[in-house]
Amino acid sequence: MTRRALVTGAAGFIGSALCKRLVAEGWEVTGYDALTYAAHRASLSPELDTGALDLVEANICDRAALARIFGEVRPSHVFHLAAESHV
């Protein structure tokens, strides 16, 4: 079985670390992030540059975008790390 992950909040601190780990372990990874104040595309640069990771810039509140990605990616696992916490 192919391990195919969809990671929400992929460009955040924890999400980017998880994406890197999954890629290193051979997973197919699609990141999903609205790229707001807490997200940094540069955190995923090596993986994005090599094509080991796909990044979709969209908000999880956008039901149509999320449904489209689920249909295209058909993930075996979803890691939901998207959050905005103003700490």
Side-chain angles (χ1 to χ4, degrees):
M1 179 170 125
T2 301
R3 297 180 302 171
R4 185 174 300 124
L6 176 64
V7 180
T8 66
F13 180 73
I14 296 171
S16 61
L18 175 62
C19 286
K20 289 172 181 282
R21 177 67 181 259
L22 293 173
V23 166
E25 292 182 5
W27 288 62
E28 291 180 17
V29 182
T30 299
Y32 191 96
D33 203 298
L35 296 175
T36 60
Y37 75 97
H40 303 284
R41 181 183 291 275
S43 300
L44 300 168
S45 289
E47 291 75 20
L48 290 170
D49 294 345
T50 62
L53 169 73
D54 291 320
L55 182 62
V56 175
E57 184 177 350
N59 192 302
I60 60 167
C61 295
D62 183 344
R63 293 179 75 157
L66 198 54
R68 180 180 54 80
I69 292 305
F70 265 90
E72 290 174 8
V73 174
R74 304 202 41 86
S76 59
H77 296 75
V78 176
F79 297 91
H80 179 51
L81 303 172
E84 286 196 3
S85 58
H86 304 278
V87 184

